[in-house]
Amino acid sequence: MSTTAVNKYRYSTIGYTLLGQILEKAYGKSYDEVIREKIITPLQMTNTLTKDFNVRNITAGYNPNGGVQEFFKWNITASAGLVKSNASDMLTYLKAVLTNGNPVSEAAMLTEKLYYKDEKREMGLGLTISTDDQNTIYLKSGDSMGQSSIICYNRAKKWGIIILLNQRNSKMRQNLLNEIYEKVLK
């Protein structure tokens, strides 16, 4: 008797949590220390928060119903959405991703390889890959308590989009991305 394994896509927040724990073990440092050493400090992302969210000019987050939502405190799920950045720092990160020859760009290119494909989607390592006749676009979206965000870019054409919302609202985020793409980039 022969059995065939069937692969099905399913998003896993726990997968990102596990990845953070693996990084901590591999480097012998906390997740906070690893991302500060590898990304935040080299890119001078001075408005990216990992632990202390008690800062000036913080934006309140809102749940899907419009109620005020407190940010999570740093804990075991840090690698699954607890890092907070402003638009300027995210643009700095996006520029590093799109500029060949630096460690951030080299790491990003590893995530852009196709690892999973079915009739509905193509996936790299944590990235959705969208390909049409003219473009290959890489994107990662996320929602956590009080926020929605997306980074979307076209490496070949050197453009990208960052959307940061202070409400957990994936539908609004996706609609904004679609509208920007259709009106500005196509």
Side-chain angles (χ1 to χ4, degrees), residues 1 4 6 18 28 50 53 60 62 88 147 152 168 184-185:
M1 177 190 255
T4 304
V6 176
L18 180 59
T50 57
F53 302 122
Y62 297 91
S88 178
Q147 65 90 36
C152 171
R168 183 176 179 183
V184 178
L185 298 171

Side-chain angles (χ1 to χ4, degrees), residues 123-157:
M123 299 293 300
L125 292 176
L127 288 178
T128 300
I129 303 169
S130 177
T131 305
D132 64 21
D133 294 343
Q134 300 173 355
N135 298 292
T136 297
I137 298 166
Y138 305 97
L139 62 95
K140 173 66 180 127
S141 60
D143 299 299
S144 65
M145 305 302 280
Q147 65 90 36
S148 289
S149 60
I150 194 165
I151 182 171
C152 171
Y153 61 93
N154 182 321
R155 179 171 296 284
K157 294 186 179 178

